[in-house]
Amino acid sequence: MDPQTLMIAFGFAWGAWVLYRIHQRRSSKSDPGAALVRKPAAEQAAMPRVGKPATLTFNQIKALQDNSFTPDKNWSKEEAALILDAVKYLRAVCQDISDDDDGDPPLEIQNALLRYILTEQDIRDFIRKWGEDRREQGLEDYADDDPELARNGQYDRVKTEAQKFLTNSTIER
């Protein structure tokens, strides 16, 4: 192969590579710089496992399904109770800060708040204790009542987080 043919082949290969990179960058609409700079994947915080696995009760399964959850048979009854209590708590917080009675916030907001609650150790422990106290008073896992929430640090943090989501969701509408 003579030097001119080698140079032309190199030029075509380099041009094809440049076009491929441009296509890669344009196809990534969420982050155009992602094709140029590899970002490490963010680690998601997770709720630590509690209780003995696979002890979920039938009533908890029904309550979880009524609240748009798909329960896993490997969940413990403590995990299910914590999830149900956290949903009850976050809905009560959202109702406290809501100006109107539109009902429950959208599922996306509930999921984000639930993720926040379950990944914060002190809030998770507080809600576990709050739920246990409610059950000691004779209330079911997911009673249809409007609980009176104690105004403390955990409430303020959940309220602040809920206000961020509720404000963002009303702006997007």
Side-chain angles (χ1 to χ4, degrees):
M1 198 184 286
D2 63 357
Q4 291 176 341
T5 307
L6 186 61
M7 201 124 153
I8 291 173
F10 175 79
F12 276 117
W14 181 75
W17 180 79
V18 168
L19 290 175
Y20 172 74
R21 297 294 287 179
I22 290 171
H23 172 71
Q24 230 183 355
R25 194 170 355 143
R26 287 185 181 169
S27 65
S28 176
K29 294 189 186 285
S30 63
D31 189 6
L36 300 175
V37 179
R38 299 283 178 204
K39 296 179 183 174
E43 291 184 24
Q44 290 187 343
M47 178 183 95
R49 302 299 303 256
V50 294
K52 183 180 176 189
T55 56
L56 191 63
T57 66
F58 179 75
N59 290 338
Q60 288 176 325
I61 291 172
K62 295 301 286 177
L64 287 165
Q65 289 172 341
D66 291 343
N67 286 287
S68 303
F69 284 94
T70 305
D72 185 351
K73 298 286 185 187
N74 291 323
W75 287 357
S76 68
K77 63 181 180 182
E78 293 85 2
E79 290 169 337
L82 178 59
I83 291 169
L84 291 169
D85 293 338
V87 169
K88 182 70 172 175
Y89 191 86
L90 72 87
R91 286 180 178 168
V93 169
C94 289
Q95 187 176 7
D96 284 353
I97 65 174
S98 178
D99 295 336
D100 49 2
D101 289 332
D102 286 341
D104 297 330
L107 279 179
E108 297 84 24
I109 293 174
Q110 290 184 47
N111 288 340
L113 286 172
L114 183 63
R115 186 177 312 112
Y116 175 74
I117 288 170
L118 295 178
T119 56
E120 295 292 324
Q121 177 71 39
D122 63 323
I123 298 174
R124 186 177 57 244
D125 291 343
F126 172 76
I127 289 180
R128 183 184 311 161
K129 173 92 171 75
W130 177 77
E132 288 171 358
D133 292 344
R134 286 173 51 84
R135 281 184 287 287
E136 285 176 7
Q137 295 171 1
L139 296 171
E140 297 175 13
D141 282 334
Y142 198 76
D144 287 333
D145 66 330
D146 292 325
E148 187 64 34
L149 302 179
R151 305 307 197 254
N152 55 18
Q154 288 84 4
Y155 173 85
D156 292 336
R157 289 174 52 205
V158 173
K159 179 181 173 184
T160 302
E161 193 71 18
Q163 286 173 332
K164 289 179 194 175
F165 287 112
L166 292 174
T167 302
N168 289 343
S169 69
T170 56
I171 291 172
E172 291 172 2
R173 289 182 189 173

